[in-house]
Amino acid sequence: PDGCHSMVFTFGTPLDLSNTTAPSFLPDSFLYGASTSYKDVTTDDAVRVMVVVFQPYGVHRLFGIPASAIKNTIIPLDAAINHSVITRLRDQLAHSNEAQWKMIFDHFFSAFLKNAITEDSSLMTALDFIHTNGGLVTSAGLSRLGCSERQLERKFLSEIGISPFAYSGIVRMHTFLNKLIHFYPKES
């Protein structure tokens, strides 16, 4: 789990969410919310995959989708965003190479940025505080940021999909893993 939401496009053999008993094929383009557990995905043949990983607050800001509504959820992308827009984007990606994908996504997201929800400074301050401290935060530390613990919890649940302390735990784990890789680069 990384506390982030992602947009996924696949081209080729469908992906199978293999932690179920029967085949559970994923849509060819989907959005998934912040996950609290790992999921195994398999495929039987070659597949091209394009994944856009958003900042923790990105899906809410760009598309207006409450993060709590997609937590631990995989939804077809055209159920979240206009079907014709997604169809057009998929066609552009399918008929281009990976080197061109960045330009296509820059154009796609620029249209959404014009209508993006404005930034919440208290949420951004809290995220910065959590990252600066490697996830080692207390409720007292967060309460000094200018908003009550309950207000901050509501903002996190709405925009990120998980509580500030769950997010801090994810940051703590990633900080530890990065330090482990730094200190033992050949073993990792």
Side-chain angles (χ1 to χ4, degrees), residues 57 61 120-127 152 155-156 159-160:
Y57 49 82
R61 295 273 164 77
D120 182 319
S121 62
S122 60
L123 179 68
M124 300 309 293
T125 301
L127 287 168
L152 193 58
K155 289 178 184 196
F156 263 76
E159 294 200 32
I160 298 174

Side-chain angles (χ1 to χ4, degrees), residues 159-180:
E159 294 200 32
I160 298 174
I162 56 179
S163 74
F165 296 104
Y167 185 77
S168 296
I170 292 168
V171 171
R172 226 176 10 262
M173 178 184 68
H174 283 270
T175 300
F176 169 75
L177 291 173
N178 286 332
K179 287 180 179 181
L180 191 64

Side-chain angles (χ1 to χ4, degrees), residues 88-100:
R88 189 169 41 254
L89 178 60
R90 273 195 64 75
D91 288 345
Q92 289 174 335
L93 293 170
H95 295 98
S96 61
N97 60 46
E98 287 83 356
Q100 297 168 314

Side-chain angles (χ1 to χ4, degrees), residues 26 86 129 173:
L26 295 171
I86 295 305
F129 181 76
M173 178 184 68

Side-chain angles (χ1 to χ4, degrees), residues 28-137:
D28 56 12
S29 53
F30 58 93
L31 186 66
Y32 69 89
S35 179
T36 57
S37 63
Y38 291 98
K39 294 181 178 28
D40 292 325
V41 178
T42 61
T43 184
D44 292 332
D45 204 355
V47 62
R48 289 174 45 197
V49 179
M50 173 61 185
V51 180
V52 177
V53 179
F54 294 99
Q55 290 290 332
Y57 49 82
V59 169
H60 180 259
R61 295 273 164 77
L62 283 173
F63 309 122
I65 301 169
S68 56
I70 59 172
K71 176 183 170 185
N72 289 319
T73 304
I74 296 172
I75 58 172
L77 197 51
D78 58 4
I81 303 169
N82 182 290
H83 176 74
S84 63
V85 170
I86 295 305
T87 300
R88 189 169 41 254
L89 178 60
R90 273 195 64 75
D91 288 345
Q92 289 174 335
L93 293 170
H95 295 98
S96 61
N97 60 46
E98 287 83 356
Q100 297 168 314
W101 286 0
K102 182 186 179 311
M103 180 185 67
I104 293 168
F105 275 109
D106 284 348
H107 180 73
F108 172 77
F109 288 119
S110 67
F112 285 96
L113 285 172
K114 293 174 188 169
N115 301 315
I117 296 170
T118 57
E119 188 174 280
D120 182 319
S121 62
S122 60
L123 179 68
M124 300 309 293
T125 301
L127 287 168
D128 185 53
F129 181 76
I130 291 168
H131 282 274
T132 300
N133 291 290
L136 298 171
V137 297

